[in-house]
Amino acid sequence: MNAHSNPRPAIRSDWTREEIAALFDLPFNDLLWQAQAAHRENHEANAVQLSTLLSIKTGGCPEDCGYCNQSVHAETGLKATKLMDVRAVLQSAAQAKDAGSTRFCMGAAWRNPKDRDMPAIVEMVKGVRQMGMETCMTLGMLTETQARTLADAGLDYYNHNIDTSPERYEAVITTRTFEDRIETLEHVREAGINVCCGGIVGMGETRADRVGFIHALATLPVHPESVPVNALVPVKGTVLGDMLADTPLAKIDEIEFVRTVAVARIAMPGSMVRLSAGRESMSDAAQALCFMAGANSIFTGDKLLTTDNAGDDRDAALFAKLGVTPMAAQCKVELAAE
């Protein structure tokens, strides 16, 4: 049966938790069949976007996110840095473009940006955009004014993850609330910037939490245009890294991770589902299953902010093995400043 033989289903924001849980419970092959059909209805079948993520300001963050080695509460020996020079950021972006990336993401370890930092941030966005790349920023919580400033600069996406289910949120982070995250997402949406919002699995959560995580995203009034799904990279010295060390929970089961990607694809068929942190420890087979399940973006390079990543050579070899091609640069989503 051809995946295109049925009319394209409407994108829904009225999913129930029971429906999401029922997807997770499907036989694995049935779940992947549904996910691949949803993927082909909405996206190019064998194209994956190459993205690059640069830490433009590392460490010293006052938030206490249990997974993050950039928190001042973590004891990882990570040295805090100041905001990078604009020229250095643009040089990194040019190198990423030369390596095949069509999307450049910039992350700063802040609770929220200071207004004095905004002019440099604006120059970074404009400079990367002039190269013809998609731009994404993750800077922490934003005010309405800051969101409008980023929109005026032409920022394509703003990343602000909900991390986990609403119920589990305070077990992972205590310095802000789940509602704080939603408020920033609303500011971003109102400013006309595309939303990038996902989370992390493998933090010792239950499947019910993974159901709650996807349910929270899939019932937003408008789905995030970009949904990164991360596998926790447990770092010694972080709360979760130490808590999960040497336990069976220290690594998410690969089949369960693929299930999470597939359910995200079915529930949010129009979104880019991004296979993000944790790929460096995944087998080629697991990554291939993630692409089958509907993931259509990866982060390239040897580093992902401050943790190891798979690397360009390994990715190129995997793509060749699978017959997957890097997605061409495109502006398929309405850009905020145009």
Side-chain angles (χ1 to χ4, degrees):
M1 177 176 151
N2 190 299
H4 293 278
S5 59
N6 294 322
R8 181 178 296 188
I11 291 179
R12 300 172 47 195
S13 291
D14 62 348
W15 290 93
T16 65
R17 287 206 179 202
E18 291 73 23
E19 287 175 309
I20 301 288
L23 290 174
F24 267 100
D25 287 340
L26 284 172
F28 188 66
N29 286 343
D30 293 355
L31 176 60
L32 260 60
W33 178 274
Q34 279 197 40
Q36 182 63 199
H39 183 70
R40 286 172 182 256
E41 288 287 355
N42 293 275
H43 305 275
E44 195 176 344
N46 292 299
V48 172
Q49 185 182 43
L50 301 182
S51 309
T52 296
L53 175 59
L54 176 69
S55 179
I56 59 173
K57 189 272 171 190
T58 301
C61 182
E63 302 277 30
D64 68 353
C65 308
Y67 52 80
C68 186
N69 66 341
Q70 300 201 64
S71 167
V72 294
H73 303 273
E75 298 178 1
T76 61
L78 183 71
K79 189 176 185 301
T81 65
K82 294 181 179 178
L83 183 65
M84 284 178 67
D85 178 75
V86 173
R87 288 169 298 180
V89 171
L90 298 184
Q91 184 177 15
S92 292
Q95 291 169 346
K97 183 179 180 181
D98 289 345
S101 283
T102 60
R103 174 184 175 87
F104 194 69
C105 309
M106 294 157 274
W110 286 326
R111 176 178 169 83
N112 51 274
K114 303 284 192 296
D115 287 340
R116 67 171 181 266
D117 297 313
M118 293 307 289
I121 294 293
V122 163
E123 289 307 307
M124 292 174 192
V125 173
K126 288 181 175 178
V128 174
R129 236 172 157 258
Q130 284 169 1
M131 297 177 196
M133 301 175 78
E134 271 183 12
T135 53
C136 182
M137 283 270 181
T138 179
L139 312 169
M141 295 185 287
L142 295 179
T143 64
E144 289 181 59
T145 302
Q146 288 171 335
R148 284 197 299 269
T149 298
L150 292 172
D152 291 343
L155 184 68
D156 299 309
Y157 289 82
Y158 191 78
N159 168 259
H160 202 59
N161 291 338
I162 59 169
D163 296 325
T164 188
S165 67
E167 295 78 17
R168 186 166 165 75
Y169 193 83
E170 63 184 20
V172 178
I173 301 156
T174 67
T175 48
R176 59 167 184 259
T177 65
F178 190 85
E179 289 69 31
D180 289 335
R181 300 303 258 184
I182 299 300
E183 183 180 9
T184 285
L185 294 178
E186 288 170 350
H187 293 334
V188 169
R189 181 66 74 198
E190 288 163 7
I193 301 170
N194 295 305
V195 169
C196 176
C197 184
I200 307 170
V201 296
M203 296 194 292
E205 78 282 350
T206 63
R207 176 177 281 185
D209 287 312
R210 291 187 279 278
V211 169
F213 155 60
I214 291 182
H215 178 260
L217 294 174
T219 53
L220 289 170
V222 179
H223 292 166
E225 286 80 1
S226 170
V227 180
V229 182
N230 298 273
L232 179 71
V233 180
V235 179
K236 187 177 179 182
T238 62
V239 172
L240 286 173
D242 290 346
M243 188 185 301
L244 300 177
D246 304 319
T247 75
L249 296 174
K251 190 174 187 299
I252 184 79
D253 175 79
E254 288 186 336
I255 298 297
E256 185 70 9
F257 185 85
V258 174
R259 281 186 180 275
T260 306
V261 170
V263 175
R265 168 50 71 223
I266 295 166
M268 294 171 281
S271 304
M272 295 289 289
V273 176
R274 303 187 184 278
L275 187 53
S276 301
R279 274 199 318 121
E280 83 294 337
S281 61
M282 286 183 197
S283 65
D284 285 355
Q287 293 185 67
L289 285 171
C290 286
F291 297 141
M292 174 70 80
N296 58 345
S297 178
I298 62 169
F299 285 106
T300 63
D302 298 322
K303 282 285 181 187
L304 205 57
L305 290 180
T306 60
T307 57
D308 291 335
N309 196 36
D312 296 338
D313 292 344
R314 181 180 164 192
D315 289 337
L318 177 61
F319 276 29
K321 196 184 294 186
L322 299 178
V324 167
T325 56
M327 199 176 285
Q330 55 189 311
C331 294
K332 63 176 183 178
V333 185
E334 287 292 320
L335 299 177
E338 298 186 350

